[in-house]
């Protein structure tokens, strides 16, 4: 977010500093920063863009797009370099929920992502680039992560990877322990050991019950740290007389030979912006009025903006607009500091936001029902939205959360914000009661056991979850024909079913990811509901084996490599075919029975109805079924 062009106006007032905490590396006449607070989402997107800018220009979508795993490794490398330089990282803050006033901003972001996907689909009518193991891999090295390069024009409209932020957050908490960091350091930085002992990033990574901005400011005030961010909004908070932000895109490694990295010879240079000092030099009381004038007069020059910021001749309408503008930046930071962040459940941001809408509806919910903003997947824009797959499991998840609340805090439905054809719209999902939840949970547990009985490997294997997702796609709906075994084997090994990689393969990958991420939502909401029923305990114990996001959101071949070798793929496909044959015979029989005795579902709202698990017939009044089957 942020105010457009604010940093451009303030750039002449920036100060060159070195991010350096090692006393023996310091020099006179240089300003140093040795303690920082990091805006987590801003860092993640910054690393994504850095890696994308260094992608092979011969590649296109999706090969050029950095994966969740690559971005996570890039963030780890970034943090490790800061740590080696002796910089103390106080906290890494992630958004846990956005206030209701940001709804229009959220919708505009979703629409921007949808538009990028639509344009990409139009540009690649003739097909996509061949996907292989080596194509487009980002060599995560010193020069990639902390060395800038203009983003090539051909990558300007490339869609973002929608799961990089939750994947990095999860890895900082559970993946990047000291042992894994040192292994990666040897591979990425060509160093055999790291003297720094402060590598417990799980302890400093927090998801806050709101926007990360204000929490970054609060921590920076109390630690004397600079805030690392690309969000210009941070300049508008009261950072104190010495408070500052350091734009992430200004940070560069300098010194030494790029081809022969020697960490002792490198230094990390950056630009520092100190709002209080800049305001003093401009002759204004603070940056708030300046930013407000820039927002309302975006084409004004610096001198005019300063004049307007100092003017007292404002009408009542403008005065009211200014008061509304500054409310966001004048929150009670001390109250935020007192809140026990350790008690906040470990959730993905999307799930966390839903949770906080129940906890504090006056702050986080503006409409008549909670809302879930589902990211635009990397899918075929010309087909039915891939989020249609797994919809039932998200319905179960939301219903579990809803029924865990007191009766006075429950809702009849939840609104999902999803892509529908060429627009972002609301899919209103009716919520079930306790009986419906238990009935669907029983069916899901049986389905998981059925797949596990056919799978020759371990249910902790990513291959098991691919099998489950494929059975959901091809076994739960008679409109999906069972794929040819040879084509399916090719997809699992090479990521494509035919001779060429095309949008059908992209969409199938998105559908698999939709099913698995819906199960992840279900797992997280079961965990915070404290359900103790035997079925819930069984379901939770099964879903806890879901792969982490940096694996789940990779390509299907990369998931298969986590658990199978190529020579066993044929056996794996054979198991899938046997299971699908059973599924289709059961579905055909159930079809006759269902026609005689229709199954119950949550009370429909606005004409929409949710079928039971395993029912092959989906109501045509479901918004997804208006579109072509993917």
């Amino acid at each position: 977010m942020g105010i457009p062009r604010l940093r451009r106006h303030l750039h002449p007032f920036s100060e060159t500093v070195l991010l350096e905490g090692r006393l023996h590396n310091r020099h006179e006449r240089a300003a140093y920063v040795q303690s920082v607070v990091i805006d987590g989402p801003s860092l993640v997107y910054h690393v994504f863009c850095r890696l994308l800018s260094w992608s092979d220009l011969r590649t296109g979508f999706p090969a050029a797009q950095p994966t969740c795993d690559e971005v996570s490794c890039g963030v780890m490398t970034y943090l490790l370099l800061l740590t080696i330089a002796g910089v103390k990282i106080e906290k890494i803050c992630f958004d846990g929920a956005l206030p209701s006033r940001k709804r229009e901003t959220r919708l505009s972001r979703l629409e921007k992502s949808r538009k990028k996907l639509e344009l990409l689909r139009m540009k690649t009518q003739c097909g996509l680039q061949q996907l292989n193991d080596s194509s487009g891999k980002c060599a995560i090295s010193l020069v990639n992560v902390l060395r800038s390069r203009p983003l090539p024009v051909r990558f300007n409209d490339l869609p973002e990877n929608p799961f990089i932020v939750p994947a990095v957050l999860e890895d900082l908490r559970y993946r990047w322990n000291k042992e894994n960091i040192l292994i990666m350091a040897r591979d990425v930085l060509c160093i055999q050991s790291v003297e720094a002992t402060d590598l417990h990033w799980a302890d400093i990574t927090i998801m806050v019950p709101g926007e990360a901005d204000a929490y970054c400011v609060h921590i920076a005030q109390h630690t004397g740290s600079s805030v690392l961010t690309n969000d210009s909004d941070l300049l508008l908070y009261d950072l104190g007389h010495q408070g500052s932000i350091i734009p992430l895109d200004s940070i560069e490694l300098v010194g030494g030979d790029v081809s022969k990295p020697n960490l002792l010879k490198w230094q990390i240079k950056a630009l520092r912006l100190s709002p209080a000092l800049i305001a003093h030099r401009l002759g204004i009381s603070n940056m708030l009025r300046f930013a407000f004038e820039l927002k309302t007069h975006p084409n004004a020059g610096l001198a005019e903006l300063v004049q307007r910021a100092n003017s007292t001749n404002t009408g009542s309408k403008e005065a009211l607009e200014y008061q509304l503008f500054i409310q966001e930046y004048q929150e009670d930071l001390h109250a935020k500091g007192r809140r026990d962040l350790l008690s906040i459940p470990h959730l993905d941001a999307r799930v966390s936001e839903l949770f906080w809408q129940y906890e504090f509806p006056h702050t986080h919910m503006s409409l008549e029902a909670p809302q879930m903003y589902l990211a635009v997947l990397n899918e075929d824009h010309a087909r039915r939205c891939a989020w249609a797959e797994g919809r039932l499991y998200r319905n179960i998840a939301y219903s579990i959360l809803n029924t865990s609340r007191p009766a006075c805090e429950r809702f009849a439905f939840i609104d999902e914000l999803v892509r529908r054809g060429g627009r972002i719209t609301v899919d209103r999902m009716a919520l079930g009661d306790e009986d419906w939840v238990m009935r669907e949970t029983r069916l899901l547990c049986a389905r998981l056991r059925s797949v596990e009985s056919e799978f020759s490997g371990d249910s902790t294997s990513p291959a098991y979850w691919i099998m489950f997702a494929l059975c959901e796609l091809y076994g739960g709906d008679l409109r999906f024909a069972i794929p040819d075994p040879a084509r399916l084997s090719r997809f699992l090994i090479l990521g494509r079913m035919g001779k060429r990689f095309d949008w059908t393969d992209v969409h199938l990958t998105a559908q698999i990811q939709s099913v698995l991420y819906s199960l992840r939502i279900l797992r997280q909401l079961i965990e915070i509901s404290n359900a103790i029923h035997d079925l819930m305990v069984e379901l939770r114990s099964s879903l806890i084996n879901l792969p982490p996001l940096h694996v789940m959101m990779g390509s299907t071949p990369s998931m298969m490599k986590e658990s199978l070798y190529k020579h066993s793929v044929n056996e794996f496909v054979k198991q899938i075919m046997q299971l699908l044959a059973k599924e289709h015979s059961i579905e055909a029989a159930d079809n006759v029975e269902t026609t005689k005795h229709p199954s119950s579902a949550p009370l429909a709202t606005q004409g929409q109805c949710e079928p039971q698990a395993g029912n092959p017939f989906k109501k045509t009044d479901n918004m997804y079924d208006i579109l072509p089957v993917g």
Side-chain angles (χ1 to χ4, degrees):
M1 299 181 186
I3 309 297
R5 291 185 287 278
L6 177 60
R7 278 182 50 198
R8 185 188 305 173
H9 282 291
L10 302 184
H11 179 76
F13 303 95
S14 60
E15 173 192 15
T16 300
V17 296
L18 293 176
L19 294 171
E20 182 63 70
R22 299 167 295 185
L23 295 178
H24 62 274
N25 270 30
R26 295 193 175 189
H27 307 283
E28 295 183 1
R29 299 180 182 178
Y32 293 92
V33 172
Q34 56 184 349
S35 174
V36 297
V37 179
I38 300 178
D39 176 354
S42 192
L43 174 62
V44 173
Y45 280 109
H46 172 68
V47 168
F48 173 85
C49 291
R50 280 275 171 100
L51 295 179
L52 179 60
S53 70
W54 287 96
S55 289
D56 191 334
L57 291 176
R58 295 169 297 178
T59 64
F61 178 82
Q65 186 186 63
T67 65
C68 288
D69 184 45
E70 290 167 339
V71 174
S72 179
C73 291
V75 169
M76 185 282 301
T77 304
Y78 204 106
L79 298 176
L80 181 58
L81 288 170
L82 289 176
T83 303
I84 291 173
V87 177
K88 183 179 181 182
I89 303 172
E90 300 287 351
K91 292 291 182 184
I92 308 170
C93 300
F94 286 82
D95 303 310
L98 294 182
S100 57
R101 64 175 179 270
K102 295 293 180 74
R103 183 176 187 273
E104 292 305 317
T105 302
R106 303 290 299 281
L107 290 175
S108 66
R109 283 184 167 183
L110 286 175
E111 174 58 23
K112 182 180 179 181
S113 297
R114 186 207 64 78
K115 191 65 176 178
K116 280 187 175 182
L117 186 67
E118 181 181 34
L119 291 174
L120 179 66
R121 181 65 174 86
M122 293 172 61
K123 290 179 181 178
T124 54
Q125 294 283 1
C126 297
L128 293 166
Q129 190 170 14
Q130 176 67 43
L131 186 68
N132 56 54
D133 290 342
S134 60
S135 176
K137 287 294 181 184
C138 303
I140 301 173
S141 66
L142 226 53
V143 294
N144 288 99
V145 181
L146 275 170
R147 186 178 174 210
S148 64
R149 179 186 184 186
L151 187 67
V153 175
R154 66 172 302 172
F155 295 153
N156 278 343
D157 295 325
L158 201 69
E160 299 87 0
N161 188 318
F163 295 100
I164 51 177
V165 173
V168 169
L169 175 60
E170 179 180 46
D171 284 357
L172 288 175
R173 284 171 167 169
Y174 304 114
R175 180 187 184 187
W176 295 124
N177 54 36
K178 187 171 183 178
E179 179 182 0
N180 289 337
I181 291 171
L182 293 178
I183 291 173
M184 188 61 64
R186 287 193 289 270
D187 295 339
V188 174
L189 301 178
C190 302
I191 56 177
Q192 298 304 312
S193 64
V194 178
E195 294 182 3
T197 58
D198 190 15
L199 296 177
H200 303 289
W201 293 333
D203 298 335
I204 60 173
T205 300
I206 58 173
M207 173 176 277
V208 303
E211 286 187 279
D213 297 9
Y215 288 86
C216 288
V217 171
H218 172 77
I219 297 167
Q221 284 180 342
H222 285 76
T223 58
S225 306
S226 292
V227 181
L228 303 191
T229 182
N230 276 335
D231 188 350
S232 61
D233 274 348
L234 271 295
L235 289 165
L236 306 184
Y237 287 89
D238 181 9
L239 285 162
H241 294 298
Q242 301 298 322
S244 63
I245 75 160
I246 295 177
L248 288 161
D249 53 23
S250 75
I251 299 175
E252 293 276 346
L253 278 176
V254 294
D257 184 354
V258 173
S259 62
K260 298 178 181 179
N262 183 341
L263 295 179
L264 296 178
K265 295 182 179 180
W266 287 84
Q267 287 190 310
I268 304 175
K269 184 176 72 173
L271 296 178
R272 179 168 64 185
L273 292 167
S274 304
L277 297 178
I278 294 174
H280 177 72
R281 292 180 63 183
L282 290 174
I284 57 179
S285 58
N286 57 55
M287 297 306 304
L288 281 170
R289 187 76 200 193
F290 181 90
F292 174 75
E293 295 298 338
L294 176 59
K295 184 177 181 180
T296 53
H297 303 88
N299 297 320
L302 180 64
E304 181 183 347
L305 291 171
V306 170
Q307 182 181 5
R308 287 181 173 276
N310 285 323
S311 175
T312 57
N313 298 323
T314 58
S316 57
K317 180 181 178 181
E318 185 177 354
L320 177 60
E321 290 175 348
Y322 177 65
Q323 290 302 316
L324 293 174
F325 172 78
I326 66 176
Q327 282 180 6
E328 177 180 347
Y329 309 103
Q330 294 184 332
E331 299 182 68
D332 184 359
L333 300 183
H334 296 289
K336 294 183 182 301
R338 290 193 300 268
R339 185 168 290 171
D340 183 10
L341 298 179
L342 296 178
S343 64
I344 296 174
H346 287 188
L347 305 171
D348 291 348
R350 295 176 183 89
V351 183
S352 172
E353 188 163 39
L354 181 63
F355 171 77
W356 289 113
Q357 287 178 72
Y358 274 90
E359 288 288 308
F360 300 112
H362 297 298
T363 302
H364 299 294
M365 195 174 73
S366 60
L367 302 177
E368 57 184 333
Q371 294 188 313
M372 169 67 87
Y373 295 86
L374 292 177
V376 176
L377 298 169
N378 289 328
E379 60 184 351
D380 186 351
H381 190 276
R383 294 179 177 232
R384 182 179 67 170
C385 178
W387 281 118
E389 315 308 331
R391 185 177 188 270
L392 173 60
Y393 299 139
R394 298 195 303 278
N395 197 340
I396 298 172
Y398 305 152
S399 298
I400 288 173
L401 174 63
N402 197 57
T403 56
S404 71
R405 311 293 297 191
C408 61
E409 297 179 7
R410 296 182 185 182
F411 296 89
F413 50 83
I414 278 180
D415 289 338
E416 287 190 333
L417 279 299
V418 290
R419 180 183 70 83
R420 180 181 182 181
R423 60 194 178 100
I424 301 297
T425 190
V426 171
D427 175 25
R428 178 153 290 182
M429 186 180 293
L431 299 177
D433 59 16
E434 288 89 344
D435 291 339
W436 182 85
V437 167
M438 295 312 301
R439 184 166 60 251
E440 296 301 330
T441 300
R442 185 176 294 106
L443 289 170
L444 176 54
C445 286
R447 193 165 182 77
L448 287 164
R449 288 194 297 267
S450 175
V451 175
E452 187 173 3
S453 66
E454 292 291 334
F455 182 58
S456 59
D458 189 347
S459 62
T460 61
S461 163
Y464 165 78
W465 294 102
I466 290 178
M467 178 180 285
F468 180 87
L470 289 172
C471 288
E472 282 294 296
L473 297 176
Y474 293 109
D477 195 329
L478 292 179
R479 295 174 301 170
F480 285 83
I482 296 179
D484 175 73
R487 288 171 58 83
L488 185 56
S489 294
R490 190 181 298 118
F491 175 76
L492 295 173
I493 296 172
L494 301 176
R496 55 181 171 83
M497 283 197 172
K499 293 182 179 180
R500 297 185 59 186
F501 181 71
D502 60 25
W503 281 99
T504 301
D505 304 309
V506 171
H507 202 72
L508 178 55
T509 299
Q511 289 174 316
I512 292 172
Q513 292 175 347
S514 174
V515 171
L516 298 185
Y517 193 75
S518 297
L519 291 175
R520 180 181 171 92
I521 292 174
L522 176 55
R523 184 193 74 191
Q524 292 189 352
L525 290 181
I526 288 176
E527 288 173 349
I528 64 173
S529 69
N530 297 318
I532 58 174
H533 191 281
D534 289 347
L535 280 173
M536 289 293 178
V537 173
E538 178 186 349
L539 181 55
R540 179 184 175 185
S541 65
S542 296
L543 297 181
I544 205 169
N545 293 325
L546 280 164
L549 279 177
H550 75 267
V551 175
M552 183 190 297
M553 296 305 162
S555 66
T556 304
S558 68
M559 284 187 69
M560 294 297 293
K561 286 180 181 178
E562 291 283 331
S563 49
L564 293 176
Y565 295 103
K566 287 186 179 181
H567 69 267
S568 62
V569 168
N570 289 336
E571 180 62 29
F572 178 76
V573 170
K574 181 180 178 181
Q575 294 170 5
I576 293 178
M577 291 300 157
Q578 292 172 347
L579 192 54
L580 288 177
K582 292 181 182 179
E583 290 271 346
H584 273 240
S585 63
I586 294 173
E587 293 294 347
D590 285 349
N591 180 17
V592 177
E593 187 64 24
T594 303
T595 304
K596 296 178 181 178
H597 306 287
S599 61
S600 61
L603 184 63
T605 305
Q606 290 193 351
Q608 294 188 11
C609 185
E610 181 64 51
Q612 277 201 354
N615 184 353
F617 294 102
K618 299 181 179 179
K619 304 286 186 180
T620 55
D621 52 8
N622 184 329
M623 57 164 277
Y624 289 114
D625 292 319
I626 300 173
L627 301 174
V629 174

